[in-house]
Structure formats: C-alpha cells, structure tokens
Amino acid sequence: MAVQEPLVHHPDWPAVQSAVPLDPSVEARIEDILGRMTLEEKLGQMIQPELAELTPEDVRAYAIGSALNGAGIWPGGDRRASAGDWVKTVDRFWEAAESAYEGRGFRIPFMWATDAVHGHNNVYGATIYPHNIGLGAARDPELIRRIGEATAREIAATGMSWTFAPTVTTPRDRRWGRYYEGYAEDPEVVHAYAPAMVAGVQGADAGSGVIACIKHWVADGGTVNGGDRGTAVCDEDLVRNIHAVGFLSGIAAGAQSVMVSFSSWESEANYDHAPEWGEPYNHKLHGSRYLVTDVLKEQIGFDGIVISDWDAHAEVSGCTVGDAGYAIAAGIDVLMVAGRDAWQSVHRTAAEHVRAGRITQERIDDAVRRVLRVKMRAGLWDTPRPADRTVDPAVLGCDEHRAISREAVRKSLVLLKHEPGTLPLARTSRVLVAGSGADAIQKQTGGWTLTWQGNDVTLDDLPGAQTVADAVREVVGDGHCTVDPYLEQADPAAHDVAVVVIGEDSYAEMRGTIKPWGTLAYAGLKRSYARDLETLRRLRESGTTVVTVFFSGRPMYTTEEINLSDAFVAAWLPGTEAGGITDLLFAAPEGGPAYDFQGRLGFSWPSTARSHTVNRIPPHIPDYAMPAEEQAPEGEHAPLFAYGHGLRLADPGAPTGTLPEDTYVDTTPVPAADGPLEILGGPDGRAFDVRIGGHNTWSRPHISFDGPTDVLVVRSEPLDDPARPDALSLEFKGYAAFVYAQDPSGEPADLRGYAEAGGAVEFEVRVLEAPSGPLYLACHDDYPAQPGLDLAPRLAELAEQSPGEWSRVSVPVAELGRIGSDLQHVDVPFMLYTEGTATLELSRVRWRAGQD
C-alpha cells in the first residue's frame, strides 16, 4: 500500500492522482467497443437490476452489464444458500451476458455486485467482521487492509466481482441510523482507513481483484438532525474537508466506483442543470450535476463508475422510479433499479430522452466508457466464467479469516471505566452473564447481516458464531457460568462477578434513526433497554462486581449504567467472534492479562441525553466555525469521554467517583385534545399522506386513491363506496410491511391529551382474510423500535363473527401509552404492521377525544 499523505485542508477541490492511471491501450480498446455498440446495448450497461427482479433471459435481451443482490436476497430465496449455489447463480447470468453479444464481433463481460460491508455479510457461512464504528476505534489501517483482502477472497469465492464498500462517511449526528457505518467523527481516521480498505479489496496494485466502491457521495453523515436521506446544509468547505475526505484518499488509492447518497445538499452551488424539465430541482445528490460531474468527475478527476443507490433516482425531482433521465443527465453512470417493471422502464425512457435530445449521446458514452474501463482494469475479459474460477469456496469463514475478525474485535473494544483490580477476571470465576445481549447474536452483528435489518438472524444462520454467553462458557466451563438475562432465577450472591451485556437491537438504515425530538438515553429508547438498567441496579444493590459490555451503533447516554458498573466496555457491533471480548475480560491461562485494551474512541461520548451532535473540532481546518446544526464540545455538551479516550488495564481507576448524571426533565404541559383527529375518510378530506413501507420497499411509495398501488409487500386499491370516502382495500402479502398515515410536514403532534380525555384510536374495517400472524397498530413509523398493539385476535374474531361486514375497532389511547408509545411526539397517528398475510378493507380512521 502506498504511503498515506497527511490530512490537509483543501481550500478548493483538489485534482487527485489515482493509483490506477489511464492506460492508452485500454482506452483504445474501449473506444473500439464503444463505437460498435447500439444505444440499447449501451443502456444495458448502465442498468443494474437485483437478483429477485432479473432473469438470465432479461440479461440476454437487454444486454444487461451487471446485477446485484441486496440484503435478504439469495438464490432461490434460501438464506443458507452455499457458496456453490451463488457461483451457479452468477454463472447463469454471466453466460447470458456472453450470449447477448453473439455475432457482434465483440464481447462485454458481466459483473455481479454485493453489499459486503463487514465481511461478505449477505452470504451464509462468510466471516463477519465488526462494523466500521468498532474498526475506527482500533486505529489500525493495516488491520483494515487485511480485512479488505480477506473479504475480497470470500467475494471471489462466490463468483462475484464488485462490492459496495467501504463506506467512508464522517457521521456528525448520533441520531442517524447509519451512524455505525462511519469509522469516526473526525475525518483523520476516515482519511487513513479509506485507502487501506480500497487497497485490501482491490489487491496490492489497487487495480486487480474485486472492485471497491466508496460511498455515499457526499455528506450523508452531515444531514440536519441525522435525518436518513435528509439534507446537509453545511458550507462547501466543510463538505470538502469533513465529508469528502475519505473519497479523496480512496480515489487516490485507486477506488474504481463511487456510490451517490440518497441525501440532499442545500446550497446555491447545487444548481438545477435542466430547469426546462419542469419541476424545480430538489437538491437531491443523485440529481446534482455540480457534485457528480463538475466536482467528482472533472475537478477531482475520478474516471471510474458513479453508481446510484437502490432506486434513489426516484427521489430526484424530474424523475420517477421508472424514469431516471434527470439523474443520468446529472452524471450517474449506472442505475441501481430494483423492480422489474421499473428497470425496464428506465431503459425505455432513457432511450427516449436520448432520441429527444434531453440526454446527450456524449453523456451516455461517458457512462459506458467508465463501465468498460472499470471492467477492463479488473481483468474481466481474461477472467473465466464463475464456474471455472479457482477460488476455493472453503475460504468462506475459514480459520484464518475468523482469526482476523477476532483480532479486530480485541482491538476495537474501548475500556471507558475500570475500578483497579476488576479486570482481568480469573478463569476460575463463577460468572453470571446477564443483560438483554447476553445470548443475543443479533445485538452483536447488527444490521446488514444476512438480512437488511439483521434483526431476525439466529446462531443457526451464522455457523461458528458465538454470543458472549457462549464465549464465557468456553473460558470458565458450563459449571461456572450461569446465563440469566433479567435475573429471573439466578442468585447474584452465588457468583463472583456479573458480566452484563446490554445494547441496542439490530437495525439498519431508516429503522435505526432516532427522531429529531428523541434523545440518546439508552434506557429511554425501549422498554427492553430500561430492563437492562433495572438489572444493573439490582446487581449493584446485591453488592456483585459488575462488568458491563455495551453493544451499540453509536455513542449513547449511559452515565447511570457506567456508575453502576465496576468496569464498562464499549464493544460497538463486534460481529460473530465474541471470543475477542473474553480475550480481554479474562486472564490468560497462566495468569495475568492475556491482552490489554487498546481501542480509543472515534466518537465523543455524550454527557447528556441531548448531546446529539458534539464532535471534535477538526484540527486540520483553520479557523473552524462550528456549524449551526452541531453542538460545541464544551460547556453544557462537553463530552463525558472525549474523542481518543480509552483506558488500559494499568491506568489509574478513572473515572473516579460517581459521574454527574443528566437531570433534565421535559416540563411541557399536556395540551387538551381538540376534537377528533381525522386521518382517513373524514369530512375535510385527506390531511395525511398514506404510504407503504417494508421489505425491499425502501422508497415508501404513496398509496393512490385513484387506482391500485401494487408493490412487493402490499397491494392497495381504493373502494368505490360513496358512503365511505377514501376507503381502501389492503392486501398484506406475507413480507414485513407497514401501511401508515403521516402528516406531510413530518412534524410530530403532542397527543397526550387524548389519553387524558379517555380517547381512542378507531377505524371501520371489513376483514376479508384474517391475519396469519400478529398485526400491530402503532403510532410511529419506526416500528418495531416503538411498540405496537397486536390487533390480530380482534380481527380474527370479526372475520369469524361478522364475515364480510363492516365493524368498528376502537383502541383506547391510554392502552397505546401503557405499552410504551410516545404520545408526546406522534408523527404517524396510524400504522398497521405485519409480517404475515391479511386482507382488510379500511375506512373512517380517526383519533377521538372522550366517549361518543
């Protein structure tokens, strides 16, 4: 790997010299092929469908150049598909692409892409590494390079050639649900890690091996309030010197692709490149000719592929899911389009735009030239078909790679508190393993692990994986280890120490974002988290020595939890190798520490529940001015533990005494309920947006009241019933799905008054097919982060007692409050959620105050 240049301030966008320079012979080959391609063939290279919505026949008919598998999409729908199954699948598409060019006098190899973001994490049996937030704490670029190399070997073993990694974001707001995808809040770590991972993935000369993709261009970690797909408002100097740092060093290392962010950048510089297209440009980065073409391609000089995120073009003004014209004209080279109808429409409409002159032929040629260049640099013309490649599938999850992962876990753990003498624990200790994370592999592995949210994986899905409980048992033996997450049976006094494992449930984008009005207080986010705090209180009262291991995708307000612990370890999202945790907690067999802690915080640890955006002031930026959307790291929001903090076992017992706890109390008075809140079918028409979300339905489409809306997870159709305006038929198809009504402003309402007035959430329903499983009523769009009330028994009873008849369902608001719903900040007053099937007709949805 080339020597890393120091991080410096760039007053302007720099020209970057890539480690993979232009090769005149390659460029000549590209021009020869490009000159012989039809427009339709060129567009085929620019469209990337996903496995579930593509067939080999499609590849042949449209000359498709690449495909991908999203999280939770596997050959035959089998989450435990083997490496051999993947090779056979990719091979069929590769063969179809070859046949697409029969008789044309040239060929263009096919390439398969995947989201291998912490190991080859979509594939059964692959090695799972800690998420980036933990790796950043290790401060070890060489380790990152080795992880990249090992991951590339496993990717190649499944016949794939492109990974959408590494993520080089610099996250600045802890409420963001993708926060853990960043290495650090300060760009110095990102600057060092991006080239290390690129070099590892792509090979020693940064121009061979698996193709790397740095993402998401740019400032996705700088959105206001940590909004997922939100808006960055920081000035261009901070975009360049905080958020683009990893892109600059990654491109210098030879990264061959860049993925654009879903988010927006609000700036006069971010101009509307085609006002004649109609709708004013909405600053979405997928439509930013300034940042994609003027800056990334021309000023920086990036000559690889610029690829969209999943259906992200659909959020750009002037585009729809089936028309990406404005985004293509802005500079997007490859469109990641999921649905079959959508990608075929994108192909068709792009050709229409070219023929009408709205997209120039030069823009299409630039895109295809970049695709061919990257494929040639990766050696795909000389690479045999996947079935004939020589990478041994046994490399998946091999001992060598698992050892690297375990090393990464050890190096990433940060010791925040340690009463002298607590650690290391004797291997003869009688250990009580408690806490919600004691035996929960999902809390360790986090999102993007086999499935999108990673919240439904089990140990059977992750061969060889260990929970902390497993790892403790391996050290002390079954007879000295008791596992009791909530102290329902165990007697703490019968044990020498309690290892209490707590932390966030698994989540990925969207589902992990904390609302702008939310806090970082761990125990306040979910009732299960509050039980963890109660467990620690009970252990403290019993006098038991407590070692707390905290899993999280962000720093969180945990001051009371730290005060209740003799040692407190930030373990982030370490993956499957919990032995890396016990390597540090327990003494070596011969006595004394087996390893010492070396992790250092890549993020400031909050001292209050409202310290969302406290970040180290970047020392490389002269005269740094704190942006309005961030909080100064001093005064009220001075970090509890500063960036770079991390104890060693021999350090003095810091922090000493009891840390000051946040005593803030929200005293906002409860507003009175002001009449009924009409949601659907009220006298004043629709005041709420009604939308669908769920499995692989990332764009959350609006439900149409003019005709059917049919997506993967739900089919909706308006009912022709004058007595029930805006009535809907909803067919839930058996995927994780939610239908919800949201205020178009996105602002929450304080509806506590409805509970005080004895009010209810009510609706009329006709049950045509009873729910096959739980069907929840919730009043937030982040279920299951917020609780829901299961209506399935009531709906099944209606289906049996009143088949085909309209009935009224009434749920007391107080009942929603009792299960933990936040009634003070209701942004979605009505949601139905299920993972099963059901067919309902719905009408007259409202909140009412008091009794009718």
Side-chain angles (χ1 to χ4, degrees):
M1 190 172 70
V3 176
Q4 178 65 34
E5 295 293 329
L7 179 59
V8 299
H9 176 260
H10 293 289
D12 299 298
W13 290 102
V16 175
Q17 181 62 52
S18 171
V20 185
L22 288 175
D23 182 332
S25 64
V26 168
E27 298 304 305
R29 289 177 63 198
I30 291 170
E31 295 306 318
D32 176 62
I33 293 174
L34 194 63
R36 291 193 269 174
M37 295 176 72
T38 66
L39 174 61
E40 286 71 21
E41 288 170 337
K42 292 175 180 178
L43 294 175
Q45 294 296 312
M46 294 176 62
I47 292 174
Q48 185 180 87
E50 58 99 348
L51 173 61
E53 300 288 335
L54 185 70
T55 66
E57 291 71 26
D58 293 330
V59 171
R60 187 176 298 111
Y62 287 85
I64 297 294
S66 65
L68 82 152
N69 57 281
I73 300 173
W74 315 279
D78 180 7
R79 71 166 62 199
R80 298 180 189 174
S82 67
D85 294 329
W86 281 102
V87 169
K88 291 175 184 176
T89 298
V90 177
D91 191 71
R92 288 196 297 271
F93 289 95
W94 185 95
E95 184 178 37
E98 292 292 305
S99 65
Y101 291 98
E102 288 178 354
R104 299 285 289 116
F106 65 93
R107 59 182 285 262
I108 301 177
F110 187 77
M111 58 184 175
W112 196 278
T114 190
D115 261 317
V117 295
H118 65 134
H120 199 11
N121 46 268
N122 291 321
V123 174
Y124 177 75
T127 308
I128 302 297
Y129 296 90
H131 272 293
N132 286 357
I133 191 171
L135 297 179
R139 300 296 206 280
D140 190 341
E142 177 59 21
L143 170 66
I144 301 308
R145 184 194 60 77
R146 289 189 283 126
I147 290 173
E149 283 185 343
T151 301
R153 284 194 288 270
E154 298 199 12
I155 293 169
T158 54
M160 303 179 195
S161 47
W162 190 359
T163 175
F164 298 135
T167 303
V168 296
T169 185
T170 308
R172 307 289 282 183
D173 192 314
R174 287 141 189 78
R175 290 169 291 191
W176 187 34
R178 304 189 76 151
Y179 195 88
Y180 63 79
E181 297 184 40
Y183 293 120
E185 72 186 26
D186 190 293
E188 68 173 1
V189 178
V190 187
H191 173 71
Y193 272 22
M197 185 61 83
V198 167
V201 168
Q202 292 191 170
D205 62 0
S208 63
V210 171
I211 299 161
C213 179
I214 47 180
K215 64 183 187 182
H216 302 88
W217 177 259
V218 60
D220 57 342
T223 60
V224 175
N225 296 324
D228 194 58
R229 308 184 181 190
T231 300
V233 297
C234 53
D235 66 39
E236 191 165 352
D237 190 75
L238 295 188
V239 172
R240 183 167 51 245
N241 288 290
I242 290 181
H243 299 289
V245 164
F247 293 92
L248 299 178
S249 61
I251 290 169
Q256 291 297 290
S257 61
V258 170
M259 186 182 294
V260 180
S261 172
F262 266 104
S263 59
S264 307
W265 180 47
E266 199 167 283
S267 170
E268 291 182 1
N270 195 13
Y271 61 89
D272 187 344
H273 70 76
E276 68 277 6
W277 284 46
E279 186 179 354
Y281 172 49
N282 60 358
H283 296 109
K284 286 286 181 179
L285 292 178
H286 277 73
S288 177
R289 181 177 288 179
Y290 177 67
L291 286 174
V292 172
T293 295
D294 300 351
V295 171
L296 180 59
K297 292 184 174 181
E298 296 178 359
Q299 295 184 50
I300 294 174
F302 176 66
D303 65 8
I305 295 170
V306 177
I307 185 169
S308 76
D309 207 335
W310 186 290
D311 284 345
H313 66 277
E315 298 192 4
V316 179
S317 51
C319 293
T320 65
V321 70
D323 184 346
Y326 189 97
I328 294 171
I332 304 296
D333 301 319
V334 174
L335 280 301
M336 190 190 298
V337 190
R340 180 182 178 80
D341 291 343
W343 69 253
Q344 291 181 355
S345 177
V346 166
H347 188 283
R348 181 177 61 255
T349 56
E352 292 169 358
H353 287 309
V354 173
R355 294 186 178 111
R358 290 185 292 270
I359 300 176
T360 67
Q361 185 64 58
E362 289 77 13
R363 171 74 273 275
I364 299 299
D365 287 350
D366 169 63
V368 179
R369 187 178 289 114
R370 290 165 179 272
V371 173
L372 298 179
R373 181 182 293 132
V374 168
K375 288 184 174 184
M376 287 186 185
R377 286 173 172 172
L380 295 188
W381 267 263
D382 303 316
T383 301
R385 64 186 304 160
D388 294 335
R389 296 175 194 172
T390 58
V391 182
D392 186 355
V395 75
L396 260 73
C398 67
D399 291 346
E400 177 189 353
H401 293 176
R402 286 184 176 273
I404 296 172
S405 181
R406 185 165 178 160
E407 175 189 353
V409 174
R410 286 197 301 269
K411 291 182 173 180
S412 67
L413 302 187
V414 180
L415 184 60
L416 295 182
K417 176 184 178 180
H418 183 226
E419 295 295 345
T422 303
L423 297 175
L425 304 173
R427 300 173 77 89
T428 56
S429 298
R430 295 167 300 169
V431 183
L432 169 61
V433 186
S436 63
D439 216 11
I441 192 64
Q442 305 98 325
K443 285 182 182 273
Q444 290 179 202
T445 51
W448 307 109
T449 304
L450 211 60
T451 65
W452 176 31
Q453 297 292 322
N455 58 350
D456 60 347
V457 297
T458 68
L459 285 169
D460 290 338
D461 295 322
L462 301 166
Q466 282 189 321
T467 64
V468 174
D470 293 328
V472 170
R473 278 191 288 260
E474 186 173 75
V475 173
V476 303
D478 289 344
H480 277 205
C481 178
T482 303
V483 181
D484 189 354
Y486 297 111
L487 307 184
E488 293 170 323
Q489 297 176 338
D491 177 8
H495 300 81
D496 300 309
V497 64
V499 174
V500 184
V501 190
I502 65 177
E504 292 187 282
D505 293 335
S506 178
Y507 57 79
E509 58 180 329
M510 298 190 224
R511 301 276 278 277
T513 297
I514 297 173
K515 296 294 185 180
W517 50 88
T519 77
L520 297 175
Y522 169 69
L525 281 179
K526 291 188 182 183
R527 287 195 166 188
S528 61
Y529 302 173
R531 289 187 71 187
D532 282 333
L533 179 56
E534 181 58 32
T535 297
L536 287 168
R537 288 171 176 163
R538 290 173 59 191
L539 288 167
R540 175 57 75 198
E541 290 172 1
S542 73
T544 307
T545 297
V546 174
V547 175
T548 299
V549 176
F550 183 53
F551 295 140
S552 71
R554 52 192 142 214
M556 303 189 76
Y557 174 73
T558 52
T559 304
E560 184 176 356
E561 289 87 346
I562 293 171
N563 283 333
L564 293 169
S565 306
D566 296 283
F568 191 95
V569 178
W572 315 112
L573 301 171
T576 55
E577 308 307 305
I581 297 173
T582 52
D583 283 346
L584 291 172
L585 297 187
F586 287 87
E590 64 275 11
Y595 298 91
D596 202 351
F597 288 85
Q598 70 178 66
R600 292 182 287 142
L601 289 178
F603 304 92
S604 305
W605 199 273
S607 59
T608 81
R610 293 153 290 107
S611 298
H612 305 115
T613 59
V614 179
N615 298 289
R616 181 192 192 213
I617 294 175
H620 74 292
I621 300 178
D623 303 318
Y624 180 79
M626 182 72 59
E629 62 273 14
E630 295 192 14
Q631 298 160 317
E634 62 224 10
E636 177 188 3
H637 296 292
L640 184 66
F641 303 113
Y643 172 93
H645 174 81
L647 298 174
R648 306 297 181 265
L649 289 173
D651 287 345
T656 57
T658 301
L659 295 166
E661 296 178 11
D662 186 359
T663 58
Y664 172 82
V665 176
D666 186 351
T667 58
T668 305
V670 177
D674 185 18
L677 177 65
E678 302 287 353
I679 298 169
L680 191 66
D684 299 324
R686 293 188 303 275
F688 292 85
D689 289 335
V690 185
R691 311 184 76 160
I692 299 171
H695 177 76
N696 285 348
T697 310
W698 296 8
S699 60
R700 298 197 177 188
H702 286 83
I703 282 179
S704 171
F705 286 83
D706 297 322
T709 304
D710 196 354
V711 297
L712 176 68
V713 299
V714 169
R715 187 182 193 277
S716 168
E717 187 168 5
L719 299 181
D720 185 13
D721 186 347
R724 290 181 169 79
D726 293 339
L728 287 172
S729 168
L730 298 173
E731 177 193 354
F732 294 91
K733 300 182 183 180
Y735 298 90
F738 39 96
V739 173
Y740 63 102
Q742 184 174 39
D743 189 298
S745 71
E747 295 298 317
D750 188 342
L751 302 182
R752 290 176 292 168
Y754 284 87
E756 292 198 354
V761 180
E762 64 181 23
F763 57 93
E764 293 187 3
V765 65
R766 186 156 56 183
V767 184
L768 304 184
E769 178 194 347
S772 63
L775 189 148
Y776 297 95
L777 170 69
C779 57
H780 297 271
D781 74 341
D782 52 355
Y783 181 86
Q786 295 287 342
L789 186 71
D790 185 12
L791 300 181
R794 304 186 204 191
L795 297 176
E797 185 177 344
L798 291 176
E800 182 176 346
Q801 295 181 356
S802 307
E805 297 181 11
W806 286 98
S807 303
R808 177 182 293 184
V809 173
S810 184
V811 177
V813 174
E815 193 170 345
L816 291 173
R818 278 194 297 272
I819 65 171
S821 299
D822 178 5
L823 301 178
Q824 186 176 356
H825 307 97
V826 179
D827 57 330
V828 170
F830 184 78
M831 171 190 278
L832 295 178
Y833 175 94
T834 184
E835 295 185 7
T837 59
T839 303
L840 314 173
E841 292 180 350
L842 201 65
S843 177
R844 295 175 179 166
V845 181
R846 65 173 183 159
W847 287 48
R848 61 166 172 80
Q851 302 297 318
D852 282 346

mmCIF file of all heavy atoms in Angstrom, residues 705-707 717-729 766 806 841-842:
data_model
loop_
_atom_site.group_PDB
_atom_site.id
_atom_site.type_symbol
_atom_site.label_atom_id
_atom_site.label_comp_id
_atom_site.label_asym_id
_atom_site.label_seq_id
_atom_site.Cartn_x
_atom_site.Cartn_y
_atom_site.Cartn_z
ATOM 1 N N PHE A 705 -55.246 7.045 -4.440
ATOM 2 C CA PHE A 705 -56.688 6.954 -4.237
ATOM 3 C C PHE A 705 -57.436 7.046 -5.567
ATOM 4 O O PHE A 705 -58.655 7.182 -5.593
ATOM 5 C CB PHE A 705 -57.160 8.039 -3.265
ATOM 6 C CG PHE A 705 -56.786 7.744 -1.835
ATOM 7 C CD1 PHE A 705 -55.536 8.067 -1.353
ATOM 8 C CD2 PHE A 705 -57.680 7.113 -0.996
ATOM 9 C CE1 PHE A 705 -55.178 7.790 -0.046
ATOM 10 C CE2 PHE A 705 -57.339 6.818 0.318
ATOM 11 C CZ PHE A 705 -56.085 7.155 0.801
ATOM 12 N N ASP A 706 -56.660 6.936 -6.664
ATOM 13 C CA ASP A 706 -57.252 6.960 -8.000
ATOM 14 C C ASP A 706 -57.214 5.598 -8.682
ATOM 15 O O ASP A 706 -57.856 5.401 -9.711
ATOM 16 C CB ASP A 706 -56.520 7.983 -8.875
ATOM 17 C CG ASP A 706 -56.661 9.394 -8.346
ATOM 18 O OD1 ASP A 706 -57.756 9.728 -7.861
ATOM 19 O OD2 ASP A 706 -55.673 10.141 -8.396
ATOM 20 N N GLY A 707 -56.432 4.689 -8.132
ATOM 21 C CA GLY A 707 -56.309 3.370 -8.729
ATOM 22 C C GLY A 707 -55.446 2.490 -7.857
ATOM 23 O O GLY A 707 -54.990 2.901 -6.777
ATOM 24 N N GLU A 717 -56.017 -0.752 -2.997
ATOM 25 C CA GLU A 717 -56.945 -0.293 -4.039
ATOM 26 C C GLU A 717 -58.068 0.502 -3.373
ATOM 27 O O GLU A 717 -58.621 0.071 -2.358
ATOM 28 C CB GLU A 717 -57.519 -1.483 -4.805
ATOM 29 C CG GLU A 717 -58.354 -1.067 -6.005
ATOM 30 C CD GLU A 717 -58.679 -2.242 -6.918
ATOM 31 O OE1 GLU A 717 -58.329 -3.385 -6.561
ATOM 32 O OE2 GLU A 717 -59.282 -2.012 -7.985
ATOM 33 N N PRO A 718 -58.380 1.683 -3.907
ATOM 34 C CA PRO A 718 -59.498 2.453 -3.332
ATOM 35 C C PRO A 718 -60.825 1.760 -3.590
ATOM 36 O O PRO A 718 -61.012 1.098 -4.611
ATOM 37 C CB PRO A 718 -59.409 3.789 -4.070
ATOM 38 C CG PRO A 718 -58.707 3.471 -5.353
ATOM 39 C CD PRO A 718 -57.751 2.367 -5.049
ATOM 40 N N LEU A 719 -61.756 1.897 -2.644
ATOM 41 C CA LEU A 719 -63.068 1.290 -2.779
ATOM 42 C C LEU A 719 -64.050 2.305 -3.368
ATOM 43 O O LEU A 719 -64.027 3.479 -3.023
ATOM 44 C CB LEU A 719 -63.592 0.821 -1.418
ATOM 45 C CG LEU A 719 -62.762 -0.231 -0.684
ATOM 46 C CD1 LEU A 719 -63.444 -0.607 0.632
ATOM 47 C CD2 LEU A 719 -62.568 -1.471 -1.547
ATOM 48 N N ASP A 720 -64.898 1.834 -4.241
ATOM 49 C CA ASP A 720 -65.932 2.690 -4.839
ATOM 50 C C ASP A 720 -67.170 2.615 -3.945
ATOM 51 O O ASP A 720 -68.105 1.851 -4.191
ATOM 52 C CB ASP A 720 -66.242 2.208 -6.257
ATOM 53 C CG ASP A 720 -67.222 3.136 -6.962
ATOM 54 O OD1 ASP A 720 -67.454 4.249 -6.440
ATOM 55 O OD2 ASP A 720 -67.752 2.740 -8.021
ATOM 56 N N ASP A 721 -67.134 3.408 -2.872
ATOM 57 C CA ASP A 721 -68.206 3.364 -1.883
ATOM 58 C C ASP A 721 -68.514 4.794 -1.460
ATOM 59 O O ASP A 721 -67.811 5.368 -0.617
ATOM 60 C CB ASP A 721 -67.786 2.521 -0.677
ATOM 61 C CG ASP A 721 -68.910 2.325 0.331
ATOM 62 O OD1 ASP A 721 -69.942 3.031 0.231
ATOM 63 O OD2 ASP A 721 -68.750 1.477 1.228
ATOM 64 N N PRO A 722 -69.555 5.423 -2.031
ATOM 65 C CA PRO A 722 -69.862 6.826 -1.693
ATOM 66 C C PRO A 722 -70.090 7.045 -0.208
ATOM 67 O O PRO A 722 -69.856 8.139 0.302
ATOM 68 C CB PRO A 722 -71.139 7.100 -2.500
ATOM 69 C CG PRO A 722 -71.124 6.096 -3.606
ATOM 70 C CD PRO A 722 -70.474 4.876 -3.034
ATOM 71 N N ALA A 723 -70.540 6.023 0.484
ATOM 72 C CA ALA A 723 -70.790 6.174 1.920
ATOM 73 C C ALA A 723 -69.506 6.190 2.733
ATOM 74 O O ALA A 723 -69.523 6.567 3.905
ATOM 75 C CB ALA A 723 -71.684 5.041 2.406
ATOM 76 N N ARG A 724 -68.413 5.756 2.099
ATOM 77 C CA ARG A 724 -67.143 5.681 2.822
ATOM 78 C C ARG A 724 -66.034 6.273 1.940
ATOM 79 O O ARG A 724 -65.269 5.545 1.322
ATOM 80 C CB ARG A 724 -66.813 4.239 3.196
ATOM 81 C CG ARG A 724 -67.722 3.678 4.275
ATOM 82 C CD ARG A 724 -67.338 2.256 4.634
ATOM 83 N NE ARG A 724 -68.043 1.827 5.827
ATOM 84 C CZ ARG A 724 -69.294 1.412 5.860
ATOM 85 N NH1 ARG A 724 -69.992 1.345 4.731
ATOM 86 N NH2 ARG A 724 -69.862 1.058 6.999
ATOM 87 N N PRO A 725 -65.964 7.589 1.877
ATOM 88 C CA PRO A 725 -64.919 8.205 1.044
ATOM 89 C C PRO A 725 -63.526 7.837 1.550
ATOM 90 O O PRO A 725 -63.293 7.718 2.750
ATOM 91 C CB PRO A 725 -65.189 9.708 1.204
ATOM 92 C CG PRO A 725 -65.957 9.834 2.474
ATOM 93 C CD PRO A 725 -66.787 8.588 2.582
ATOM 94 N N ASP A 726 -62.625 7.638 0.595
ATOM 95 C CA ASP A 726 -61.227 7.299 0.874
ATOM 96 C C ASP A 726 -61.057 5.929 1.521
ATOM 97 O O ASP A 726 -60.020 5.647 2.126
ATOM 98 C CB ASP A 726 -60.551 8.359 1.751
ATOM 99 C CG ASP A 726 -60.396 9.684 1.024
ATOM 100 O OD1 ASP A 726 -60.437 9.667 -0.216
ATOM 101 O OD2 ASP A 726 -60.251 10.714 1.691
ATOM 102 N N ALA A 727 -62.064 5.061 1.427
ATOM 103 C CA ALA A 727 -61.900 3.699 1.934
ATOM 104 C C ALA A 727 -60.913 2.941 1.054
ATOM 105 O O ALA A 727 -60.836 3.160 -0.165
ATOM 106 C CB ALA A 727 -63.238 2.973 1.963
ATOM 107 N N LEU A 728 -60.147 2.050 1.686
ATOM 108 C CA LEU A 728 -59.093 1.321 0.984
ATOM 109 C C LEU A 728 -59.201 -0.177 1.235
ATOM 110 O O LEU A 728 -59.567 -0.603 2.339
ATOM 111 C CB LEU A 728 -57.711 1.768 1.485
ATOM 112 C CG LEU A 728 -57.190 3.132 1.078
ATOM 113 C CD1 LEU A 728 -55.916 3.438 1.854
ATOM 114 C CD2 LEU A 728 -56.931 3.177 -0.423
ATOM 115 N N SER A 729 -58.837 -0.940 0.214
ATOM 116 C CA SER A 729 -58.591 -2.363 0.379
ATOM 117 C C SER A 729 -57.083 -2.546 0.513
ATOM 118 O O SER A 729 -56.305 -1.991 -0.275
ATOM 119 C CB SER A 729 -59.109 -3.139 -0.831
ATOM 120 O OG SER A 729 -58.640 -4.466 -0.804
ATOM 121 N N ARG A 766 -63.459 -4.141 7.405
ATOM 122 C CA ARG A 766 -64.106 -5.365 6.934
ATOM 123 C C ARG A 766 -62.981 -6.371 6.703
ATOM 124 O O ARG A 766 -62.080 -6.120 5.884
ATOM 125 C CB ARG A 766 -64.895 -5.092 5.657
ATOM 126 C CG ARG A 766 -65.700 -6.288 5.197
ATOM 127 C CD ARG A 766 -66.884 -5.881 4.336
ATOM 128 N NE ARG A 766 -66.523 -5.085 3.174
ATOM 129 C CZ ARG A 766 -67.407 -4.576 2.327
ATOM 130 N NH1 ARG A 766 -68.705 -4.775 2.534
ATOM 131 N NH2 ARG A 766 -67.017 -3.881 1.286
ATOM 132 N N TRP A 806 -68.939 -4.574 7.790
ATOM 133 C CA TRP A 806 -68.150 -3.503 8.373
ATOM 134 C C TRP A 806 -68.322 -3.509 9.884
ATOM 135 O O TRP A 806 -69.433 -3.633 10.402
ATOM 136 C CB TRP A 806 -68.576 -2.144 7.825
ATOM 137 C CG TRP A 806 -68.109 -1.896 6.413
ATOM 138 C CD1 TRP A 806 -68.833 -2.069 5.270
ATOM 139 C CD2 TRP A 806 -66.823 -1.436 6.018
ATOM 140 N NE1 TRP A 806 -68.078 -1.742 4.160
ATOM 141 C CE2 TRP A 806 -66.829 -1.349 4.598
ATOM 142 C CE3 TRP A 806 -65.656 -1.091 6.708
ATOM 143 C CZ2 TRP A 806 -65.712 -0.923 3.867
ATOM 144 C CZ3 TRP A 806 -64.552 -0.667 5.980
ATOM 145 C CH2 TRP A 806 -64.583 -0.594 4.576
ATOM 146 N N GLU A 841 -60.420 -4.251 4.465
ATOM 147 C CA GLU A 841 -60.938 -3.005 3.908
ATOM 148 C C GLU A 841 -61.066 -2.023 5.071
ATOM 149 O O GLU A 841 -61.576 -2.381 6.141
ATOM 150 C CB GLU A 841 -62.267 -3.229 3.207
ATOM 151 C CG GLU A 841 -62.095 -4.073 1.945
ATOM 152 C CD GLU A 841 -63.394 -4.343 1.199
ATOM 153 O OE1 GLU A 841 -64.476 -4.039 1.770
ATOM 154 O OE2 GLU A 841 -63.324 -4.866 0.065
ATOM 155 N N LEU A 842 -60.609 -0.810 4.833
ATOM 156 C CA LEU A 842 -60.401 0.135 5.917
ATOM 157 C C LEU A 842 -61.082 1.455 5.598
ATOM 158 O O LEU A 842 -61.025 1.936 4.460
ATOM 159 C CB LEU A 842 -58.900 0.348 6.092
ATOM 160 C CG LEU A 842 -58.363 0.887 7.404
ATOM 161 C CD1 LEU A 842 -58.611 -0.119 8.522
ATOM 162 C CD2 LEU A 842 -56.869 1.160 7.260
#
